[in-house]
Amino acid sequence: MHICEFQNMIRRIYWHKDEARGVEKNFIHLVEEVGELGRAIIDGDPASIKSELADTLAWLATVANVLQVDLEEAALSKYCNICPKCGSSPCKCP
Ligand SMILES: [Zn+2]
């Protein structure tokens, strides 16, 4: 599955709610999920880490949907096989 396919799947499932909620509230949900991911990492619970990573990705897709940003295009235009700062792979940044 491509990133765009995942983003489109999230749009199919949640667009009616995400659009009504608006970008700021969706962004707050994203930040909350990042916090929950941090807690799962601190707790060292592999199942929770996996679940929170999925939630974080889903809310990131939601924020991109509401902002009408193609997440795959954005990601690959910046991170296309090389580090965007040093232009190398692997990265040689200090
Ligand atoms: Zn680099």
Side-chain angles (χ1 to χ4, degrees), residues 16 30 36 68 72 83 85:
H16 62 294
L30 170 60
E36 290 173 16
Q68 299 183 339
E72 182 169 309
C83 170
K85 290 183 181 174

Side-chain angles (χ1 to χ4, degrees), residues 83 86 91-93:
C83 170
C86 67
C91 169
K92 295 177 181 171
C93 292

